[in-house]
Amino acid sequence: MKRIKIGIADDNKDFCDILSDFFQDKDNIDISFIAHDGIKTVEAIKEHMPEVLVLDMIMPHLDGLGVLETISG
């Protein structure tokens, strides 16, 4: 079975912990990274190339739309 790589980007650490705990029990999902600001998110996306990204729209340094614009262009 193919494993899906996901990235989690949210400045709320408690929310990230909840998502991480939820996905950790899934056999077909690997958490590639957890980032808490937009700049670290862009760096992590380039390094890990996740297939799915859970992205908060309001984060420090670079918001979610800025992340999407940066990685798409």
Side-chain angles (χ1 to χ4, degrees), residues 43-57:
E43 292 169 357
I45 290 169
K46 290 178 180 178
E47 181 180 341
H48 298 285
M49 299 298 291
E51 297 164 289
V52 175
L53 178 63
V54 178
L55 179 62
D56 185 12
M57 285 291 112

Side-chain angles (χ1 to χ4, degrees), residues 47-71:
E47 181 180 341
H48 298 285
M49 299 298 291
E51 297 164 289
V52 175
L53 178 63
V54 178
L55 179 62
D56 185 12
M57 285 291 112
I58 302 171
M59 292 187 296
H61 307 298
L62 186 65
D63 66 8
L65 289 176
V67 169
L68 294 175
E69 288 173 355
T70 303
I71 63 171

Side-chain angles (χ1 to χ4, degrees), residues 20-36:
S20 178
D21 289 345
F22 175 79
F23 287 126
Q24 197 166 4
D25 295 338
K26 308 301 179 219
D27 291 335
N28 61 336
I29 294 180
D30 284 327
I31 298 173
S32 297
F33 68 86
I34 297 174
H36 301 294

Side-chain angles (χ1 to χ4, degrees), residues 5-20:
K5 298 187 326 184
I6 71 164
I8 300 171
D10 197 304
D11 60 332
N12 183 331
K13 291 178 172 66
D14 291 334
F15 180 67
C16 291
D17 290 343
I18 290 168
L19 281 179
S20 178

